[in-house]
Every structure is written in C-alpha cells, then in structure tokens.
Amino acid sequence: MARALEAVDSEHPEGTPGYDNKGYSVLQQHVQFFDRNHDGIIYPWEIYAGLRAVGFNVVLSFISAISINLALSYVTLPVPTFFARAFKTSLFPIMNNTAALSADSIALLPNPIFPIYISKIHKGKHGSDTGVYDTEGRFVPNKFEELWTKFSNTHLQKLTFKELMGMIDALRVAWDPFGWFANKSEWILTYLLAKDEEGLIHKESVRGVYDGSFFYQVENARKKKALAKQKFKM
C-alpha cells in the first residue's frame, strides 16, 4: 500500500526516525530540501545552491539546475485565476454543469524564470522510472523493496555501479527517450552523492534520498566538517 507521508521499508516501518515531514507527500519531501527560502517554490538558483550544499561541483550543479527546472517548471505551474475562471465559464460553458477545473490543470504559458511549484511536483513524474513514487507522489514500499531483491546481487542491500546501470536499463519503457534520459540522470546524481568508499550505494541512503532526509544529513555533515577544519586552523 502506498504511503503518503513516510518512506517506509522493512527496516523502517514508520519511516525516517525523527524526520519532520511537514505534511508533505514523500515526493514533495524529496524536493523540499532545494526550496532554500521555504516559500514552496524552487528556482534554478535554489537547485544550484542545494546541489552545492551537498558537495557537487560548480559545473555539474549549474548544468543540473538548468536541466531540472527546464524539465519540471511548466508542468508544475499553477493556473492563473483569470484563465481558470474563463476556462470554466466563458470558453467552455459545458464545464459549468460538470466538474470544476482540476487542481492538476497546467498553466497556459511557461514562466521565463522556470520556477518549480512543490505543491504540483507529482505532475513532473516521468516514465521509465522505478515506480517507487506513484502518480500522487506517494511512496510505494513494495516497489522500493523490489529494487533490492531484483538488482542487488553482489552485496546485501547495496548496489554496484554496474548493477545500478542494469536496473536503469531494465526499467526502460519503449518510445520514452525523455524518461530514459531523466531516469539515468537522476540515478547517476544519486550514485555520485550516496556511494561509499567502495563505490556502492546502500539501501538506507537511497531511501533517504527518496524522502529527502539524506540531503539534510549530507549538508549537516559537511557543515560540521568545515567547522572542525576552521577550529583546527585557529
């Protein structure tokens, strides 16, 4: 059964201990780390700042920020009130006798600074993915467990880079080039962020990426390391 607020697995039936989900869906939690000013909107410079905060270099952070916002901004934009009202009344009167304009409707025009609205991030779900998030942004535990039972063949609850690439290829859906590219890009970034000294990514780290808690852990660890280095110099 899909879980709306917690990324649960067999080892964590209640989700991440001590982690405040703030009432966000798990997919919203995944991206909330990058909302650096906590206004519910993620701009390209916030993606850049978040990636830098977890240790990615300037070039990769810049390219990723532009790519992510270009891909996700339009589908998450809210419908302007004026156009929503016109659509329901003047343009299509028949809708007055049926359902109101859906909250999941998309805007008519793109925003030139490419903001991503967290409230509609589920509209950015693409094909050829793991299915761990459903179409409402909820976490699907059996799909998450399936990643490790099917693809973690060398080490228990860990993936090698080769196994990760094999998983990505196995998830590909026919005639879905955007999904292929998006899924591979996301997992390569996840691998670079979460791999250990042996080049393996752990189940717990990946679960933390899904609910966003791992980003905070990495950022806090880097801050502590930088602070310790400053004290040592003093």
Side-chain angles (χ1 to χ4, degrees):
M1 181 181 294
R3 297 289 293 270
L5 303 179
E6 295 90 15
V8 305
D9 64 4
S10 54
E11 293 79 28
H12 303 86
E14 302 299 326
T16 303
Y19 182 52
D20 182 10
N21 59 48
K22 300 180 176 66
Y24 283 128
S25 72
V26 178
L27 179 54
Q28 290 171 341
Q29 293 170 45
H30 170 69
V31 301
Q32 194 270 335
F33 171 82
F34 298 95
D35 180 16
R36 307 302 282 180
N37 63 357
H38 311 293
D39 64 353
I41 306 170
I42 305 173
Y43 295 96
W45 50 90
E46 292 183 292
I47 294 279
Y48 174 85
L51 292 172
R52 292 289 291 144
V54 296
F56 288 108
N57 64 42
V58 171
V59 175
L60 185 56
S61 297
F62 179 80
I63 294 173
S64 298
I66 298 300
S67 302
I68 291 168
N69 283 75
L70 280 174
L72 296 178
S73 176
Y74 182 66
V75 295
T76 68
L77 293 179
V79 180
T81 304
F82 171 79
F83 289 114
R85 189 181 301 118
F87 192 87
K88 285 193 294 182
T89 57
S90 303
L91 300 181
F92 293 90
I94 192 172
M95 291 189 66
N96 293 326
N97 300 319
T98 55
L101 187 67
S102 169
D104 284 340
S105 299
I106 62 173
L108 301 180
L109 297 173
N111 186 309
I113 56 176
F114 304 109
I116 296 171
Y117 283 75
I118 293 178
S119 63
K120 293 183 67 176
I121 191 64
H122 61 284
K123 301 300 292 182
K125 178 177 163 61
H126 56 77
S128 300
D129 66 350
T130 61
V132 175
Y133 298 123
D134 69 7
T135 55
E136 297 178 32
R138 299 176 300 181
F139 187 85
V140 185
N142 65 302
K143 287 290 186 180
F144 179 70
E145 297 289 355
E146 193 176 86
L147 300 181
W148 310 95
T149 56
K150 290 179 66 174
F151 302 107
S152 177
N153 300 315
T154 308
H155 305 273
L156 181 65
Q157 297 187 346
K158 300 175 186 177
L159 290 173
T160 65
F161 184 76
K162 182 178 180 179
E163 288 171 339
L164 181 62
M165 292 298 103
M167 180 189 80
I168 293 168
D169 288 340
L171 294 170
R172 289 174 58 161
V173 176
W175 304 107
D176 181 29
F178 176 79
W180 304 339
F181 176 78
N183 196 44
K184 180 163 285 191
S185 299
E186 291 162 0
W187 275 106
I188 288 176
L189 285 176
T190 298
Y191 178 81
L192 293 174
L193 177 65
K195 66 183 177 69
D196 64 15
E197 295 178 353
E198 297 179 346
L200 305 172
I201 54 172
H202 298 234
K203 179 183 179 183
E204 174 58 9
S205 299
V206 173
R207 192 187 65 82
V209 170
Y210 272 108
D211 72 3
S213 60
F214 187 71
F215 301 136
Y216 292 100
Q217 293 170 16
V218 173
E219 181 183 38
N220 291 334
R222 286 175 55 81
K223 285 180 178 179
K224 289 179 181 179
K225 186 176 181 180
L227 184 60
K229 187 179 292 187
Q230 288 180 351
K231 289 182 178 180
F232 178 77
K233 290 180 178 180
M234 294 174 63

